Amino acid sequence: MGEAEKIEVRDITRIERIGAHSHIRGLGLDDVLEARAVSQGMVGQKDARRAAGVVVQMVREGKIAGRCILLAGEPSTGKTAIAVGMAQALGTETPFTSMSGSEIYSLEMSKTEALSQALRKSIGVRIKEETEIIEGEVVEIQIERPATGTGQKVGKVTLKTTEMETNYDLGNKIIECFMKEKIQAGDVITIDKASGKVNKLGRSFTRARDYDATGAQTRFVQCPEGELQKRKEVVHTVTLHEIDVINSRTHGFLALFSGDTGEIKQEVRDQINNKVLEWREEGKAEINPGVLFIDEVHMLDIECFSYLNRALESDMAPVVVMATNRGITRIRGTNYRSPHGIPIDLLDRMIIIRTVPYTEKEVKEILKIRCEEEDCIMHPDALTILTRIATDTSLRYAIQLITTANLVCRRRKATEVNTEDVKKVYSLFLDENRSSKILKEYQDDYMFSEINELEEETTATGAGGGAKRRVDTGDGDAQPMEH
């Protein structure tokens, strides 16, 4: 009996890796878009979450195209977390494309093409079509194979609904589908007449007692009602980018799997836009605008910003959400400085959501959620020390210490992380402040140390009273200004 108790049953159908934001399930809002203190993995940032909830509502309605939202705030204030929360709140039906500002420079295509593809990946098209299907419960199935092992297979199947029963002869293609899906008597199936695709819906309730034990994934369904042959409306959801790739003559649909789509001509896109609008007029398709999230948006240059200005005016534009942690900085590709490193004319088109630094209480709550996500049992005193480390250094550094402290704890055969484990990993792994301090102390021992040169340059600049600086006056021209 002791041996039987030790048997551990593990479900290995789904294995998930724990990511930086895998604990977030949504924005944590109630029905009237009020933010709860702690909900769905989100903590604090009530105003920012409430504003993001309004944006999600706007996307769901799908009436307004080309709106631009900027998430601005200091590092480690949860900008990407809010974007992930928005993606979770929108669900799988709404396209959500996430990219980093620096991605566009590493691709084998022009920057504007990369942005154009990202924008079109964020626009979904629901295409409706009617197909004829045969739906019923399998009563009996007979497949005759040739004795030689080669040649045509011959088969018959008897399908029934609650009202009728019919025999069908099976062709070679359908027999292969039946064998692939492992169809047997008692299964409820659908057969698409046009494509010959066989889909197994589950086992019939009348056959529930056929076996003493069934697997967890076995699904029981009712025997279909009415006639065997039915007309069914099928909705296919694709993105505009997928339609572009399929219609691009040089690549074809196989490029969808390889990912090597290359540059797609503007004429192809214009024709697709016209066709999709035609389908919408006829009621065959619905356009479902989604969200494009661009993280580290200050990494884009002036050409990309100019392209976005134009692209956002299109009817077929998604809602664009951007995030940045920069203050007043240089716009990449120019010598001008601007808030967040974004040109003033594009900032005019945006609504800006600000994120604020977390309080100590909120930091503690976030660390507690991360401990649960990483299956780490932590003593309250150890959590208090980790919270103190997070407030003194950064939240990201403290989150990194959870897994490492858990590993140290497991090495000493314990189940709960205590204060000594946290102190040990704090001494083993440096944070940015302590690392900088060591570099300044031992700068002469490192290669290519430039700290002395930087100090000399700063001193020289400070001493030169007549030095001129160029100041952006806001009208596009930089004026020289005397010290």
Side-chain angles (χ1 to χ4, degrees):
M1 188 65 190
E3 285 296 318
E5 286 172 4
K6 288 179 187 175
I7 293 170
E8 185 183 354
V9 179
R10 295 180 69 190
D11 188 8
I12 55 165
T13 52
R14 196 174 174 198
I15 298 169
E16 285 187 0
R17 285 176 68 85
I18 297 166
H21 299 102
S22 56
H23 62 284
I24 292 167
R25 313 275 184 263
L27 284 169
L29 303 173
D30 59 18
D31 296 338
V32 289
L33 298 182
E34 285 295 320
R36 301 187 190 97
V38 180
S39 178
Q40 294 183 319
M42 296 293 280
V43 179
Q45 305 291 0
K46 288 191 177 182
D47 291 339
R49 279 157 56 199
R50 201 178 297 136
V54 173
V55 173
V56 166
Q57 205 65 32
M58 186 171 75
V59 173
R60 277 186 185 144
E61 287 177 9
K63 292 174 185 171
I64 303 165
R67 285 297 162 98
C68 204
I69 295 99
L70 178 68
L71 292 167
E74 300 91 325
S76 293
T77 52
K79 295 178 292 297
T80 312
I82 287 172
V84 172
M86 286 171 72
Q88 296 281 7
L90 285 166
T92 51
E93 282 294 304
T94 307
F96 188 97
T97 312
S98 183
M99 67 179 290
S100 174
S102 55
E103 270 180 46
I104 61 165
Y105 302 105
S106 58
L107 299 167
E108 295 175 353
M109 60 179 82
S110 67
K111 292 176 281 191
T112 52
E113 175 66 21
L115 276 174
S116 182
Q117 288 194 10
L119 285 163
R120 289 177 78 83
K121 276 178 192 170
S122 310
I123 302 162
V125 182
R126 286 200 199 98
I127 301 165
K128 300 173 190 170
E129 65 170 350
E130 275 198 349
T131 57
E132 278 199 5
I133 62 161
I134 298 167
E135 185 178 29
E137 181 189 326
V138 178
V139 179
E140 189 185 0
I141 182 168
Q142 296 173 347
I143 296 172
E144 295 173 9
R145 297 177 182 82
T148 55
T150 56
Q152 291 273 27
K153 297 186 185 82
V154 182
K156 284 184 179 179
V157 68
T158 307
L159 294 178
K160 71 162 187 178
T161 62
T162 52
E163 293 173 18
M164 62 186 293
E165 187 173 310
T166 314
N167 293 329
Y168 290 97
D169 290 330
L170 300 178
N172 218 31
K173 187 182 171 186
I174 300 271
I175 289 171
E176 282 177 17
C177 291
F178 267 63
M179 291 168 77
K180 190 180 171 186
E181 291 283 335
K182 297 186 174 69
I183 305 293
Q184 57 185 9
D187 290 340
V188 177
I189 62 166
T190 61
I191 304 170
D192 190 331
K193 284 184 80 174
S195 63
K197 188 182 173 187
V198 179
N199 192 17
K200 186 174 173 180
L201 302 178
R203 296 275 304 162
S204 173
F205 273 116
T206 55
R207 302 292 190 111
R209 296 185 181 276
D210 279 12
Y211 303 103
D212 292 336
T214 53
Q217 64 273 18
T218 307
R219 187 165 163 236
F220 288 101
V221 291
Q222 293 283 1
C223 180
E225 295 176 356
E227 293 194 4
L228 277 161
Q229 294 194 32
K230 296 176 183 140
R231 291 185 72 81
K232 199 172 185 181
E233 191 178 73
V234 183
V235 179
H236 305 284
T237 306
V238 289
T239 65
L240 278 180
H241 174 66
E242 287 167 353
I243 302 173
D244 291 347
V245 173
I246 291 164
N247 288 279
S248 174
R249 289 189 202 131
T250 50
H251 302 98
F253 76 97
L254 290 172
L256 279 174
F257 304 103
S258 65
D260 179 25
T261 55
E263 298 214 8
I264 296 163
K265 290 177 184 174
Q266 188 57 42
E267 298 85 57
V268 174
R269 289 200 170 117
D270 291 340
Q271 285 174 4
I272 287 164
N273 286 354
N274 293 337
K275 194 71 186 169
V276 168
L277 290 172
E278 198 180 297
W279 286 344
R280 190 173 68 173
E281 293 296 319
E282 292 170 7
K284 286 182 184 175
E286 286 176 20
I287 294 172
N288 183 21
V291 176
L292 170 61
F293 174 61
I294 307 174
D295 208 353
E296 308 290 332
V297 74
H298 51 265
M299 291 299 294
L300 299 182
D301 62 10
I302 192 72
E303 293 171 32
C304 299
F305 288 129
S306 302
Y307 177 78
L308 278 174
N309 261 336
R310 174 74 188 85
L312 289 171
E313 289 172 358
S314 165
D315 294 342
M316 305 280 269
V319 172
V320 180
V321 179
M322 302 176 178
T324 180
N325 55 19
R326 297 295 163 98
I328 295 169
T329 185
R330 193 173 64 85
I331 303 167
R332 189 168 175 158
T334 70
N335 293 321
Y336 300 121
R337 295 165 76 81
S338 172
H340 312 296
I342 299 169
I344 301 292
D345 57 342
L346 185 58
L347 275 174
D348 273 349
R349 294 169 188 267
M350 294 180 175
I351 45 177
I352 300 171
I353 300 172
R354 182 168 181 253
T355 56
V356 292
Y358 291 109
T359 62
E360 193 170 326
K361 188 181 175 185
E362 288 168 352
V363 167
K364 192 170 186 177
E365 199 61 50
I366 291 166
L367 291 171
K368 197 187 288 181
I369 290 167
R370 286 302 303 177
C371 287
E372 286 172 14
E373 182 70 13
E374 296 180 25
D375 291 333
C376 172
I377 301 164
M378 191 168 284
H379 193 273
D381 294 345
L383 191 63
T384 306
I385 289 176
L386 204 59
T387 308
R388 184 69 193 273
I389 290 168
T391 49
D392 291 347
T393 57
S394 75
L395 180 59
R396 286 194 180 108
Y397 173 70
I399 287 170
Q400 303 275 24
L401 293 186
I402 293 171
T403 309
T404 48
N406 195 22
L407 288 169
V408 170
C409 164
R410 285 192 347 223
R411 284 296 299 272
R412 61 181 182 82
K413 303 283 192 294
T415 54
E416 190 178 57
V417 176
N418 61 20
T419 52
E420 293 305 315
D421 297 327
V422 175
K423 285 175 184 174
K424 185 167 185 180
V425 291
Y426 180 72
S427 62
L428 284 172
F429 302 102
L430 299 178
D431 60 273
E432 183 259 334
N433 290 335
R434 284 185 291 160
S435 182
S436 303
K437 196 175 175 184
I438 289 166
L439 287 176
K440 283 173 186 172
E441 278 179 25
Y442 300 100
Q443 53 168 317
D444 298 330
D445 299 336
Y446 287 88
M447 289 181 71
F448 309 120
S449 178
E450 295 179 2
I451 197 159
N452 289 332
E453 292 169 29
L454 285 169
E455 283 171 1
E456 284 167 18
E457 279 177 28
T458 311
T459 312
T461 311
K468 291 182 179 179
R469 288 191 292 129
R470 293 177 72 80
V471 177
D472 192 357
T473 56
D475 57 359
D477 296 321
Q479 304 293 333
M481 188 178 88
E482 296 283 346
H483 275 286

